[in-house]
Amino acid sequence: MHQRSFTPMQQYAMMKKEYNEGIYRVLSAGRWEWISTAQPTERSPMYNFRMVYEKDHPEVFIIDHLEKAEGYTQLPHVYDNKKQRLCLYFSAFGDWTPKIKVSVVVPWISEWLYFYEMWVVTGEWYGGGIHIELEDNPKKGGKKKHFIYQ
């Protein structure tokens, strides 16, 4: 049996039911946002984030300014450094489709933040993943664009 995709408004309703804290806003037809907080560990600070759902997928942005590991000028594992848009899934491999409830992304936010905190201390990204990034690693000397497979 073929599973249908959830509409943006079905995603909105399911998300609001599972995670009722934070601020929800419908931005336009098929586009909504959720602003909330995440704390990856008991000793971690609270991070403010914004999830925007549009075009059948979620995008997550950290609102607070994220510090960089010593010697780095770029955040690791993000789609957009300036907007701090997190790389949480790789759609080409089916990590995310509109057939999946968007609420599955919420634990991924905390997990990303956990690996981010380790990166700030060590300068190494232990979170794995696949994406194209501009290498910014003082330990490897220099910058170049490449795929990361971990």
Side-chain angles (χ1 to χ4, degrees), residues 12 23-27 31-35 50:
Y12 178 84
I23 299 167
Y24 284 90
R25 285 190 280 237
V26 175
L27 302 172
R31 186 169 183 258
W32 55 269
E33 75 176 354
W34 175 47
I35 298 171
R50 177 178 179 245

Side-chain angles (χ1 to χ4, degrees), residues 4 6-7 27 35 41 47 52 59 64 69-70 72 95 108 116 120 124 130 132 134 143-144:
R4 292 179 47 217
F6 295 113
T7 68
L27 302 172
I35 298 171
T41 71
Y47 295 91
V52 177
E59 295 180 348
D64 307 307
E70 186 176 335
Y72 288 81
D95 294 343
W108 299 350
Y116 158 75
V120 168
E124 295 290 330
I130 298 172
I132 298 173
L134 181 63
K143 297 180 182 207
K144 66 179 185 176

Side-chain angles (χ1 to χ4, degrees), residues 48-64:
N48 295 295
F49 68 87
R50 177 178 179 245
M51 177 190 292
V52 177
Y53 192 93
E54 65 181 326
K55 299 180 185 169
D56 295 328
H57 69 276
E59 295 180 348
V60 177
F61 306 86
I62 300 300
I63 297 169
D64 307 307

Side-chain angles (χ1 to χ4, degrees), residues 113-142:
L113 289 165
Y114 173 78
F115 289 117
Y116 158 75
E117 289 180 347
M118 291 193 336
W119 172 78
V120 168
V121 173
T122 67
E124 295 290 330
W125 181 260
Y126 296 105
I130 298 172
H131 65 289
I132 298 173
E133 73 173 12
L134 181 63
E135 185 176 296
D136 183 18
N137 187 336
K139 294 177 185 175
K140 295 181 181 175

